[in-house]
Amino acid sequence: HMADGTGLGGNIPPLKGADYLAKHPAQVACIIRYGLADTILVNGRTYAAPMLAIPTLNEFEIANIINYINHSWGNDLGYTPLSAVQQSLDQCAH
């Protein structure tokens, strides 16, 4: 997603100002843990490149990543508690 969170053209979606993060917060943990093979719509643009899974991360590490994203690059998406990450991961369709 690049160091500045702006993504990479039509291949990698931005994290900076990404409407997807605000609209689908419960999916973010699932995407980090299990990857994404489907298309995703971010800020009105469709992205089709798969995101690889990172199954070795534990729930605490995933929560830290989400909270970093939520507060970086001008994002103001609030705090995601560990319990919300655990609940999201329990409900992932993978």
Side-chain angles (χ1 to χ4, degrees), residues 20-89:
Y20 186 90
L21 298 172
K23 292 178 183 176
H24 307 281
Q27 292 300 317
V28 178
C30 297
I31 293 170
I32 292 169
R33 162 94 34 101
Y34 299 110
L36 182 68
D38 201 0
T39 60
I40 188 171
L41 183 67
V42 180
N43 298 342
R45 186 171 190 174
T46 301
Y47 295 86
M51 179 175 157
L52 297 177
I54 311 173
T56 57
L57 295 176
N58 64 41
E59 289 86 359
F60 182 75
E61 292 166 324
I62 292 171
N64 283 339
I65 291 168
I66 291 170
N67 285 306
Y68 175 81
I69 292 167
N70 285 353
H71 295 97
S72 294
W73 313 294
N75 291 341
D76 186 14
L77 299 171
Y79 173 73
T80 301
L82 178 59
S83 60
V85 170
Q86 291 167 327
Q87 183 178 12
S88 293
L89 291 172

Side-chain angles (χ1 to χ4, degrees), residues 1-9 11-16 68 72-73:
H1 303 279
M2 309 310 289
D4 62 0
T6 59
L8 184 59
N11 294 320
I12 299 173
L15 296 175
K16 177 182 182 176
Y68 175 81
S72 294
W73 313 294

